[in-house]
Amino acid sequence: MIRYAKAESDEVGKRVDAEVPTWRTRAAKATQKMATQKKYSGDGPSWSDVKPVYMRLQHFKCVFCERPLAGEAAGKVEQDVEHFRPKNALKAWPPKQPKGKPAPYAFGTGAAGPGYYWLAYELTNYAAACKPCNSTRKSNYFPIASDNRGAAGQDVATLNSGEQPLLPYPLGTVDADPEALITFDGIVAKPVAADGTDHRRALVTIDFFGLNIREELWADRFRTISDLWSKLELIETSKDPARIEMTKRRVEDALSDAAPQASCARAFFQLYKSDPIAAFETYVLAERFWRSKAGSSEPQSPS
């Protein structure tokens, strides 16, 4: 997960106005009606109409797992508009544990409650996500550290301050930079901080979106660091200046926001720059793990 800093609210609003000029006006009317009714209604504009805005801002990647998705045409089917804070009734996460099984965390993750209906048409509450992240995992969950959820009508900044959400919102700068919370050891996601609030946020986010148990993400990350390793080695060993410069540009591409699994690539690149031997050992372990799991019907955590 990375931050898309260009997706500030003003910029998103401008892009939405260019995409569907009447969308925000209709959304404002629907929001006023819901404020009176104190519940979500489907009377507003379709958020699918503004989906392309988020797809482009996110470089056609899932906002949560960074899996590359289809482009402008097919992406409208493959990608969902994700309501970061659910508009309908909230379910407690994690789901209730079987009798006798201990709670997964030593800290609270928030209770069930009414949804954030007043944010149903709030542009800073949207993102584009893959269906495994959105439909399967995000659903109507929104874990928070606070014991109490925010009051109806509160804006996102106020909600963030009071609720202390455990999932970071990657668009714009209203929340922490996800890369300050989560890094990678090879293809394995892990918290940056050893303890404290940032550690808990990273831990929950990794578990919530299954970042360390999904085979498609292992495959994406392994391809990413394998390709990056080859490029970095070529830069070190080639005697052809033109080829070296071309490869350096490809490395920059692999580290850019637009690249698949950019956060994993950046973590591996930093390791390579500080300790090439450790980077090679990490690459070998990642390859060994991936080869052992490729084709397996029983996904296991690589950690």
Side-chain angles (χ1 to χ4, degrees):
M1 187 184 296
I2 65 171
R3 168 183 277 173
Y4 298 93
K6 291 183 178 179
E8 295 286 9
S9 58
D10 289 348
E11 178 63 23
V12 174
K14 290 176 183 177
R15 295 191 184 208
V16 166
D17 289 344
E19 189 78 19
V20 188
T22 63
W23 196 94
R24 286 206 287 175
T25 301
R26 289 181 287 145
K29 290 180 180 178
T31 301
Q32 289 178 343
K33 180 177 180 180
M34 290 186 293
T36 301
Q37 297 177 336
K38 296 184 179 180
K39 65 178 182 178
Y40 168 71
S41 69
D43 297 333
S46 170
W47 39 81
S48 291
D49 289 344
V50 299
K51 186 190 302 186
V53 170
Y54 295 88
M55 291 164 55
R56 295 173 200 135
L57 284 168
Q58 297 166 205
H59 306 286
F60 303 98
K61 298 189 294 180
C62 174
V63 73
F64 298 122
C65 71
E66 280 201 89
R67 190 161 64 91
L69 301 172
E72 193 83 14
K76 291 183 179 181
V77 176
E78 187 179 16
Q79 301 189 45
D80 289 338
V81 172
E82 148 69 4
H83 283 77
F84 187 60
R85 280 180 167 86
K87 61 188 182 300
N88 292 311
L90 297 161
K91 299 181 286 186
W93 189 91
K96 188 175 181 180
Q97 299 296 299
K99 188 175 181 179
K101 187 174 181 180
Y105 307 111
F107 52 87
T109 55
Y116 302 87
Y117 61 86
W118 64 97
L119 298 179
Y121 299 103
E122 169 57 52
L123 294 177
T124 58
N125 192 46
Y126 288 173
C130 69
K131 294 186 184 298
C133 278
N134 183 41
S135 301
T136 305
R137 291 176 171 81
K138 186 61 168 56
S139 185
N140 279 3
Y141 298 116
F142 191 71
I144 59 174
S146 173
D147 292 332
N148 300 305
R149 296 195 180 272
Q154 289 183 334
D155 61 23
V156 170
T158 304
L159 287 169
N160 283 351
S161 177
E163 293 185 330
Q164 303 167 53
L166 290 166
L167 305 177
Y169 181 67
L171 299 183
T173 55
V174 71
D175 203 344
D177 185 341
E179 288 185 273
L181 303 176
I182 299 171
T183 187
F184 287 85
D185 182 359
I187 62 175
V188 181
K190 67 177 187 179
V192 172
D195 52 30
T197 300
D198 286 355
H199 176 84
R200 292 191 290 272
R201 294 193 79 186
L203 192 65
V204 167
T205 301
I206 291 167
D207 292 346
F208 189 96
F209 292 110
L211 299 184
N212 280 341
I213 62 172
R214 292 164 59 185
E215 290 179 335
E216 75 274 19
L217 301 184
W218 298 341
D220 277 352
R221 293 177 200 145
F222 178 68
R223 282 192 291 265
T224 292
I225 65 173
S226 176
D227 183 59
L228 186 55
W229 171 263
S230 298
K231 288 179 170 59
L232 292 170
E233 285 294 280
L234 189 149
I235 291 170
E236 293 295 328
T237 59
S238 177
K239 299 185 183 303
D240 182 344
R243 190 175 185 190
I244 290 173
E245 287 306 309
M246 179 183 69
T247 306
K248 285 181 177 179
R249 292 195 296 272
R250 299 291 75 78
V251 169
E252 290 177 0
D253 290 342
L255 302 177
S256 71
D257 287 355
Q261 305 300 334
S263 183
C264 176
R266 292 167 183 170
F268 185 77
F269 178 76
Q270 290 303 318
L271 177 62
Y272 181 91
K273 299 301 287 185
S274 63
D275 191 340
I277 294 176
F280 177 69
E281 292 172 350
T282 297
Y283 166 73
V284 169
L285 288 173
E287 181 181 39
R288 186 178 304 158
F289 170 79
W290 173 240
R291 288 187 181 279
S292 72
K293 300 304 176 188
S296 170
S297 61
E298 296 293 331
Q300 301 174 32
S301 173
S303 58

